Amino acid sequence: MKRIVVLTGAGISAESGLKTFRDSDGLWEGYNIEDVATPEAWERDPALVQDFYNQRRRSVLEAEPNAAHYALAKLEAQYHVTIITQNIDDLHERAGSTNVVHLHGIITRSQSSVNANLTYPINGWELKMGKKCELGSQLRAHVVWFGEAVPMIETAAKICSEAELFILVGTSLAVYPAAGLINYVSHDVTKYIIDPNIPTVSNKRIVEMPYKATIGVPVLVDELIENAQ
Ligand code: APR
């Protein structure tokens, strides 16, 4: 089966009711990154950071996958699909995708604040201060903050280098190293970009689809499924 790699960002979950980061009314309009999404913020005011991610988790648990998530799951019937997502929600999994790499972690799990490899499921939306990992340190959200390493980046780069077809959905490509992943995809490979505001990429064989995810992704998936038969 042909290998399709899909790189997704906040835009794919926008129509599920989850805010993006950099659109007008995006999350970073209401919060300073330095206050809630860095190791320094956690040092300074862990309760504030915990609360920020508790709110994010609550929104994610209330959200449902949309037509774009479901369409990508459907693609697995005809293709070898790997989804690399920058999103910390679990909507790809809930839509049925079985091969999802979370570059920036996943909000439904907690993480030891002294060892990022120790992660645990969270029951419900609230991760309370005082809840500790097996080493006795406070649990935090399992998300990658600005200034932290992205442990999955090498795995993701290898996956991109093996892509035979590449789809980019709903990301401004403003954050590295994720934004650099498209450069690992071969110049010979067709790259579809689905986003009402197409990000700038310097690469060959780009097909621009300036549509919202719930419109663009199902159209492309239907076309790909038809062509596979
Ligand atoms: N369908 C498709 N794309 C959309 C939609 C939609 N309905 N609505 C918005 N978009 C697009 C925007 O045009 C923009 O290009 O989604 C993109 C959102 O960009 P960002 O808000 O920058 O989100 P993302 O690229 O995922 O951010 C990357 O930044 O703060 C960090 O860790 C966070 O993973 C996140 C990273």
Side-chain angles (χ1 to χ4, degrees), residues 5-9 84-86 103 166-169 171 173 178 181:
V5 177
V6 191
L7 176 60
T8 65
I84 302 171
T85 187
Q86 298 166 83
L103 273 185
F166 186 78
I167 307 172
L168 189 73
V169 190
T171 172
L173 292 182
L181 283 173

Side-chain angles (χ1 to χ4, degrees), residues 20-193:
T20 64
F21 296 95
R22 294 172 186 80
D23 288 305
S24 58
D25 196 35
L27 269 177
W28 296 148
E29 282 220 325
Y31 296 90
N32 286 322
I33 289 176
E34 297 75 23
D35 292 339
V36 293
T38 64
E40 293 75 21
W42 176 253
E43 287 279 309
R44 215 167 33 236
D45 193 344
L48 179 83
V49 175
Q50 197 78 294
D51 184 57
F52 174 75
Y53 287 103
N54 281 342
Q55 298 313 323
R56 304 281 73 72
R57 189 175 304 105
R58 185 146 72 168
S59 307
V60 165
L61 293 180
E62 282 167 6
E64 297 291 341
N66 64 46
H69 299 104
Y70 284 116
L72 290 176
K74 206 169 89 179
L75 206 50
E76 289 188 16
Q78 303 284 352
Y79 292 90
H80 179 286
V81 182
T82 308
I83 296 177
I84 302 171
T85 187
Q86 298 166 83
N87 299 343
I88 57 174
D89 66 55
D90 60 352
L91 297 183
H92 284 301
E93 286 89 346
R94 278 200 262 149
S97 285
T98 60
N99 197 10
V100 186
V101 175
H102 279 270
L103 273 185
H104 295 160
I106 187 160
I107 191 73
T108 51
R109 294 184 75 81
S110 66
Q111 174 182 317
S112 160
S113 50
V114 295
N115 182 346
N117 294 321
L118 296 176
T119 71
Y120 311 88
I122 301 174
N123 233 335
W125 65 272
E126 194 180 17
L127 178 55
K128 289 208 166 80
M129 294 308 288
K131 198 128 194 333
K132 305 219 163 109
C133 76
E134 65 209 68
L135 303 175
S137 82
Q138 173 63 48
L139 285 171
R140 52 170 269 193
H142 176 43
V143 299
V144 175
W145 289 328
F146 287 90
E148 291 190 311
V150 180
M152 292 308 287
I153 197 70
E154 282 182 23
T155 305
K158 183 164 187 295
I159 293 166
C160 288
S161 71
E162 291 166 358
E164 293 172 293
L165 209 143
F166 186 78
I167 307 172
L168 189 73
V169 190
T171 172
S172 63
L173 292 182
V175 173
Y176 283 84
L181 283 173
I182 192 166
N183 301 322
Y184 287 87
V185 183
S186 165
H187 278 269
D188 305 334
V189 165
T190 303
K191 298 154 197 90
Y192 295 93
I193 303 186

